[in-house]
Amino acid sequence: EAQVTQNPRYLITVTGKKLTVTCSQNMNHEYMSWYRQDPGLGLRQIYYSMNVEVTDKGDVPEGYKVSRKEKRNFPLILESPSPNQTSLYFCATGTSARSYEQYFGPGTRLTVT
Amino acid sequence: GENVEQHPSTLSVQEGDSAVIKCTYSDSASNYFPWYKQELGKRPQLIIDIRSNVGEKKDQRIAVTLNKTAKHFSLHITETQPEDSAVYFCAASLFGSGNTPLVFGKGTRLSVIA
């Protein structure tokens, strides 16, 4: 079954404690991306990757890191989380081979206290 | 960079009526305009998209129109049903050489009243 998975789905943490949210896809998609969703602000892109070892900043990259060492995984790293990073995070994947559709993961709800 | 404005932020319609959501974009180079639907507690899912070489696209009860000159595009839902209630997001991007990020509007919460 084609899918995008994220882990963890829910996380409550404290300010400054490094964390990683994983994203994995089994669709062999080149394109992967991270978004955060906040009430009234819609979906804002954090980072994206066009392929392995290629990453670029989105609209709100401050406080986040990513890596793309293999095609299927695109982890989001918060080195020193702060309360303003409390949000709902979505990973998305896509390919331009047939269409530009992006497939979203189930989301990770992060709370930083 | 690209900026996408979406209106209205909330929309209530009676079941069976039509709903229209409008978006404007700033980057004239953008060539791909998708619409995503997000039901409560779920992930966004693509419902329809349009590329800049097409002015209109229809899929059953939903249609999207694009005016490249005015830099705006719209989602039209006819014969609305309660299951159409959701948040709808428009987006814009340039795909092809020099791909740019997909920039989303802030969303429209559509409520269909039975």
Side-chain angles (χ1 to χ4, degrees):
Chain A
E1 179 191 354
Q3 58 182 346
V4 183
T5 58
Q6 292 180 228
N7 282 292
R9 295 288 314 282
Y10 303 90
L11 179 61
I12 301 174
T13 189
V14 296
T15 299
K17 186 177 181 182
K18 181 179 178 180
L19 66 92
T20 299
V21 184
T22 65
C23 174
S24 184
Q25 51 105 354
N26 63 0
M27 295 176 279
N28 201 37
H29 284 170
E30 301 87 13
Y31 182 90
M32 297 186 76
S33 179
W34 277 103
Y35 297 88
R36 60 177 289 174
Q37 185 174 25
D38 302 290
L41 297 178
L43 290 156
R44 293 182 293 167
Q45 191 166 50
I46 303 170
Y47 270 96
Y48 66 102
S49 169
M50 299 301 297
N51 216 323
V52 176
E53 301 291 0
V54 180
T55 62
D56 277 298
K57 295 178 180 179
D59 289 329
V60 288
E62 295 78 19
Y64 304 94
K65 285 175 58 178
V66 293
S67 68
R68 187 89 181 275
K69 293 185 171 57
E70 39 184 356
K71 201 172 190 179
R72 63 181 292 123
N73 296 321
F74 190 45
L76 179 70
I77 303 157
L78 284 73
E79 294 270 5
S80 182
S82 62
N84 64 12
Q85 293 179 297
T86 292
S87 187
L88 177 60
Y89 291 87
F90 286 102
C91 175
T93 77
T95 176
S96 58
R98 290 185 301 281
S99 76
Y100 302 141
E101 178 174 0
Q102 291 196 30
Y103 298 84
F104 283 79
T108 295
R109 187 164 293 282
L110 172 66
T111 301
V112 183
T113 61
Chain B
E2 177 65 274
N3 181 54
V4 177
E5 299 282 341
Q6 183 172 348
H7 299 280
S9 57
T10 60
L11 179 61
S12 290
V13 299
Q14 293 289 331
E15 183 178 358
D17 287 351
S18 295
V20 180
I21 303 170
K22 298 181 179 181
C23 290
T24 60
Y25 61 99
S26 61
D27 189 346
S28 57
S30 290
N31 61 4
Y32 175 64
F33 308 93
W35 287 87
Y36 283 79
K37 176 184 181 182
Q38 186 178 27
E39 296 176 353
L40 189 63
K42 298 196 174 176
R43 71 192 79 186
Q45 290 191 296
L46 180 74
I47 54 171
I48 195 168
D49 57 11
I50 193 168
R51 300 185 195 182
S52 60
N53 58 348
V54 175
E56 183 173 359
K57 185 176 179 181
K58 195 172 182 180
D59 183 3
Q60 299 181 13
R61 294 186 299 107
I62 60 173
V64 58
T65 58
L66 171 65
N67 183 328
K68 282 221 71 172
T69 303
K71 290 190 283 188
H72 67 70
F73 57 113
S74 301
L75 177 71
H76 304 254
I77 306 173
T78 59
E79 299 172 19
T80 54
Q81 301 167 3
E83 52 264 39
D84 294 328
S85 295
V87 178
Y88 292 81
F89 294 97
C90 63
S93 182
L94 169 65
F95 270 85
S97 60
N99 288 354
T100 57
L102 194 60
V103 177
F104 284 85
K106 290 183 168 49
T108 296
R109 183 174 298 279
L110 174 64
S111 300
V112 180
I113 304 162

